Amino acid sequence: MQDTLRMVPPDPGAGRRAADRATSPGTRRLTAMIVMLALATLATPAVAAPAERFDSIESQLYADWENGFVVFVNYTREAFCAWEASGYEGDAPVTRLVPLLVVETGKGAIVGTWGGAVELELWRFDDELTDQETACTATDEQTEPWAVGSGRFRGNDNDWDISGTRINSFGGRLQATVVDVDGQRWHYSSMDRLQIDRDGTWSLRALKLHLVRKGGGG
């Protein structure tokens, strides 16, 4: 299996963020993360104190090498791949919106917190992967998701617009229940924390991915 699966669409418009969170080739399997689409708002919030609330798009798309999945959070594979085929025209085809709270600090940085119910699909990788696969081509031999389910996601970002006035720390937690093709229920969880230094350097500070069978068994 190649270590170069990449899933980043171009920036689809103002106020949207697509975070390339690739680690070095030697550590990609260890960290299990290749890329995740970070929170994307419907429009860049014009924020001043006090805090403001918005409906927002929380979407994640990443490779879970440890468990062998491409994970679509708040997307169906069908909808995302149609969006990809269109050149990412229009809004991201998420299954639901989540609340976003933003507040401006005294130094001009915008702090964002968001969370709510999300749906997800876990798709197995195809047997053969080639360099520079996308989420869609890496799963196009699969006829259905390995499991589908729902859960809750919560995230935060201490410098939403990357103002450069502070080290930018952001990430989130997902807790979900999914049901596989045989009807078995599983608990799936993820946690990540990333950082952008003032010089623009990205780093992965923490990453945990877990898949546990519910009701006993291995």
Side-chain angles (χ1 to χ4, degrees):
M1 182 177 293
Q2 299 294 317
D3 286 331
T4 51
L5 181 66
R6 302 181 63 80
M7 305 178 186
V8 182
D11 184 356
R16 296 197 169 85
R17 305 175 59 196
D20 182 350
R21 305 179 180 184
T23 59
S24 63
T27 62
R28 282 174 180 164
R29 287 184 191 275
L30 177 64
T31 63
M33 180 72 73
I34 299 302
V35 72
M36 181 180 295
L37 297 184
L39 183 74
T41 61
L42 294 178
T44 303
V47 181
E52 296 189 30
R53 295 181 182 273
F54 300 85
D55 286 331
S56 66
I57 299 171
E58 163 55 32
S59 56
Q60 295 181 332
L61 176 56
Y62 58 92
D64 179 345
W65 293 107
E66 188 158 320
N67 295 301
F69 300 114
V70 177
V71 183
F72 294 80
V73 179
N74 220 8
Y75 290 123
T76 65
R77 180 188 180 278
E78 179 181 9
F80 177 84
C81 293
W83 188 47
E84 180 188 75
S86 75
Y88 306 101
E89 292 183 359
D91 292 332
V94 296
T95 52
R96 63 178 71 188
L97 300 177
V98 299
L100 163 69
L101 177 69
V102 290
V103 62
E104 188 174 8
T105 69
K107 293 186 177 181
I110 295 174
V111 176
T113 57
W114 60 92
V118 294
E119 299 177 12
L120 67 157
E121 295 183 349
L122 307 183
W123 287 76
R124 287 294 189 192
F125 288 108
D126 297 336
D127 290 338
E128 297 294 332
L129 293 180
T130 59
D131 195 24
Q132 298 300 308
E133 290 275 16
T134 72
C136 300
T137 58
T139 55
D140 61 4
E141 294 180 11
Q142 306 299 308
T143 59
E144 61 183 336
W146 179 82
V148 298
S150 61
R152 296 193 67 83
F153 184 89
R154 295 196 63 82
N156 59 78
D157 188 328
N158 75 339
D159 193 4
W160 179 267
D161 282 348
I162 314 179
S163 67
T165 61
R166 58 175 62 186
I167 293 174
N168 185 195
S169 176
F170 60 97
R173 294 177 179 270
L174 169 70
Q175 300 284 340
T177 296
V178 298
V179 181
D180 68 21
V181 293
D182 297 320
Q184 172 65 50
R185 289 163 57 85
W186 301 79
H187 176 72
Y188 185 78
S189 64
S190 67
M191 183 279 289
D192 72 288
R193 176 59 50 180
L194 293 99
Q195 179 173 300
I196 308 175
D197 293 335
R198 291 191 181 187
D199 64 2
T201 301
W202 286 71
S203 58
L204 180 65
R205 308 299 295 176
L207 175 67
K208 296 180 181 179
L209 301 166
H210 294 292
L211 180 69
V212 179
R213 185 193 300 269
K214 287 192 169 186

